[in-house]
Amino acid sequence: MNRSKSDDRTRITVLVALAANLVIAVAKGVGGFLSGSPALLSEAAHSVADSVNEVFLLAALRRSHRPADSRHPFGYGKERYFWSLLAAVGIFTVGGCFSFFQGFEALSTDGRESPEGYTVGLVVLAFALLAEGGSLVRALVQLRGEKGAARDPALRTVVAEDSTAVLGVVLAMVGMVLHLITGNVVWEASASLAIGLLLVYVAFRLGKDARDRLIGESADPELRKGVRELLASQPEIDNVAALFTMGLGLDSVMLAARVDLAPGIDSEEIERVSVRIKRSISRAWPEAEHVFLDITNAPPRGGV
């Protein structure tokens, strides 16, 4: 599947997740205020964070396809990772920190939910579980059905958010039920703290992945190995002195190689060899959009 069609599917997946999170955030917020449930309010903050993050991901999909210009000669592919990093920060600050706040605040009180609040809260969470589950299923179907989809930070973020949301809803439901049964708010406070820890962990993993891509992560080992073997197999190349790669976007790689040519090749032949090698690399790996060869003549064998 070409990248434009894949991005269209990812955009729909993100929009589905955004719509689900907006509706769920309102439902959780209303239910949380009516019931006074800290776990439900934590989940409301979680859904708000996810909604903001989906806006970031939509920006990433749009801005990462801008053409290269004089200020950004290698294009804007890394925008995808920048906005994914902002999404990770949003999960940490809005979702994680608010969940911790709700948990610690609940521990300082001695409240007990009313049966009415319990009913409202569980109904809201059951609805949220269905909506989040539906969004997660769609994202997983795309992730498993498209080649290379696992490398898309926007899709991976949606999967991580929806998976965390489903687990967070389950934690909130367990906390509310145990609070009602035992009359001890510590159960619901613990659920809020657990949701906070879960969000912080997910934010850390997503942020670390985005950071690695932004600071210049190399291409995958299979590509590096294949390019090195291709270079070494050329009859005109005596030695592959160095090979450097860096990902510039989801399907864009910069490749630079320093090679020594066999003795006796003149300058005109060097140019023809260089063009042929670059074309061979581009045909074998279309994502290698920028190929640079630093070619030097090896000294004559046996010479001084």
Side-chain angles (χ1 to χ4, degrees):
M1 179 177 293
N2 64 48
R3 177 50 47 193
S4 62
K5 289 183 179 179
S6 178
D7 277 358
D8 287 342
R9 291 193 62 183
T10 300
R11 186 174 291 105
I12 294 173
T13 298
V14 174
L15 287 171
V16 168
L18 174 60
N21 279 312
L22 286 173
V23 173
I24 293 168
V26 173
K28 288 177 180 176
V30 173
F33 282 115
L34 290 177
S35 65
S37 166
L40 193 50
L41 288 173
S42 295
E43 273 299 295
H46 182 179
S47 294
V48 170
D50 286 351
S51 299
V52 174
N53 294 340
E54 258 89 59
V55 174
F56 288 157
L57 297 180
L58 289 173
L61 291 171
R62 181 177 63 86
R63 296 176 64 85
S64 64
H65 285 292
R66 288 185 295 170
D69 53 37
S70 58
R71 293 189 62 189
H72 299 88
F74 295 111
Y76 290 80
K78 287 192 176 184
E79 285 255 21
R80 233 176 173 98
Y81 310 121
F82 169 74
W83 291 99
S84 295
L85 179 62
L86 289 186
V89 173
I91 291 173
F92 176 83
T93 54
V94 180
C97 293
F98 187 79
S99 295
F100 284 132
F101 169 76
Q102 285 295 318
F104 287 122
E105 185 179 51
L107 288 174
S108 66
T109 65
D110 190 26
R112 179 185 174 94
E113 287 186 24
S114 67
E116 293 80 9
Y118 169 84
T119 302
V120 170
L122 286 183
V123 168
V124 169
L125 288 175
F127 168 73
L129 188 61
L130 291 174
E132 297 283 14
S135 178
L136 175 60
V137 168
R138 176 183 172 83
L140 288 174
V141 168
Q142 182 179 354
L143 187 69
R144 295 176 180 177
E146 291 182 12
K147 183 180 179 181
R151 296 184 295 109
D152 189 339
L155 187 57
R156 290 176 61 186
T157 300
V158 171
V159 171
E161 286 179 350
D162 287 346
S163 301
T164 306
V166 169
L167 184 54
V169 168
V170 173
L171 289 172
M173 294 178 77
V174 171
M176 290 179 68
V177 171
L178 291 176
H179 181 192
L180 184 71
I181 292 173
T182 65
N184 193 342
V185 74
V186 71
W187 292 107
E188 201 162 351
S190 297
S192 291
L193 295 175
I195 292 168
L197 287 172
L198 180 64
L199 292 173
V200 168
Y201 172 74
V202 170
F204 170 76
R205 291 298 301 270
L206 291 174
K208 182 178 182 300
D209 181 68
R211 182 208 65 178
D212 290 343
R213 302 298 181 90
L214 283 172
I215 63 178
E217 190 175 48
S218 64
D220 64 81
E222 184 179 347
L223 184 147
R224 298 199 305 271
K225 178 182 178 182
V227 170
R228 183 175 287 275
E229 290 177 349
L230 185 148
L231 292 173
S233 68
Q234 303 301 310
E236 298 87 356
I237 292 181
D238 185 70
N239 175 56
V240 181
L243 176 65
F244 305 98
T245 63
M246 183 172 67
L248 301 175
L250 198 58
D251 288 310
S252 179
V253 172
M254 181 178 70
L255 186 152
R258 187 164 61 247
V259 299
D260 296 327
L261 294 183
I265 300 179
D266 60 34
S267 57
E268 292 184 2
E269 183 66 16
I270 288 176
E271 183 176 354
R272 288 193 291 271
V273 168
S274 176
V275 171
R276 192 190 74 232
I277 291 174
K278 288 181 179 181
R279 287 177 178 172
S280 297
I281 293 174
S282 297
R283 283 196 300 268
W285 297 278
E287 63 269 33
E289 295 185 334
H290 306 279
V291 179
F292 303 94
L293 294 180
D294 180 13
I295 297 178
T296 58
N297 279 319
R301 293 184 176 88
V304 292

